[in-house]
Amino acid sequence: MASFFRLLTLAAIWGGSFLFMRIAATPLGPAVLIEARVAFAAVTLLAVSFYLKKNLQFVANARHYFILGLFNTALPFLLFAYSAQTLNASSLSILNSTAPIWGAIIGAIWTKTALSKRVLLGLGMGIIGVSVLVGWEAANIGENAILPITAAIMAAFSYGIASNYAKNAPKIESFNNAHGSMWAAVLIVVPFLPFVPIREDPNLNIALAVFLLGVVCTGIAYLIYFRLIVDLGASSALSVTFLIPVFGIIWGHLFLGEEIGMNTLVGSVLVVVGTMFVTGFSPKQLLRQKAIANS
């Protein structure tokens, strides 16, 4: 039961990240927003590392941390923040959930491995789901939706690169991977700051959104995720991916008044089910692992 509660909590937190980006991306600009996000997260993880007495060894593993920091943090965060200026939270969360699909495609190309019929079916469902969502957004927003939609898809693609890199990366503790890559992301985003300045002074709501985005949705979320990996294993912990769109849709509707249309529901179901096929995720297996973990 404790693992299931953590899973729901993590999905709710990560679903909320798209809400906070929607609030803060336009007034602050993508670069300032993400620099603040990763800086808050890095400081949070630094405090935890002192408490846990973790030795980061940043210089010794700098190349590894910068690769992770680029593809798993800085690049996707920036792309999603750019998209958040135009797309709603529900669309962002659904597009984010295609990351495992991109990971499977990249992995097949990387290893020159043929995809199974199950995976191909999942890919087809995911593509149709994204098309439903993207087509509706483009129709509503017009040509201005093309670049934000492309950016959000490329953000998910970047996560796919990171997941495949991680399979062959140096064997470093997951906490240090998050901590080190977060500091690397802080350094990676800095050069973008002069080119995308703040558009307006942040008010209390914007400042609170940035703080929650960095400390809760990034720093604390990573700690919960690592605990789930320990309790359930990495593959089962990834089941949070399927729940994030649910909360992204709910938060966007409750706090931003975003309409939950049929296209949103159909697109999200197709993407989530397609992702399950691609990753080989089994709800029964997850429940079995939870029962073992709680026994």
Side-chain angles (χ1 to χ4, degrees), residues 238-283:
L238 278 175
S239 61
V240 69
T241 303
F242 313 129
L243 297 173
I244 291 173
V246 175
F247 286 98
I249 293 168
I250 291 173
W251 300 149
H253 177 69
L254 289 178
F255 296 102
L256 299 178
E258 295 178 355
E259 181 181 352
I260 302 178
M262 185 57 65
N263 68 298
T264 302
L265 297 177
V266 172
S268 60
V269 169
L270 286 171
V271 168
V272 168
V273 174
T275 303
M276 287 184 178
F277 276 109
V278 168
T279 59
F281 172 75
S282 169

Side-chain angles (χ1 to χ4, degrees), residues 40-53:
F40 274 125
V43 171
T44 301
L45 293 174
L46 177 63
V48 174
S49 72
F50 283 142
Y51 176 77
L52 298 177
K53 298 180 180 179

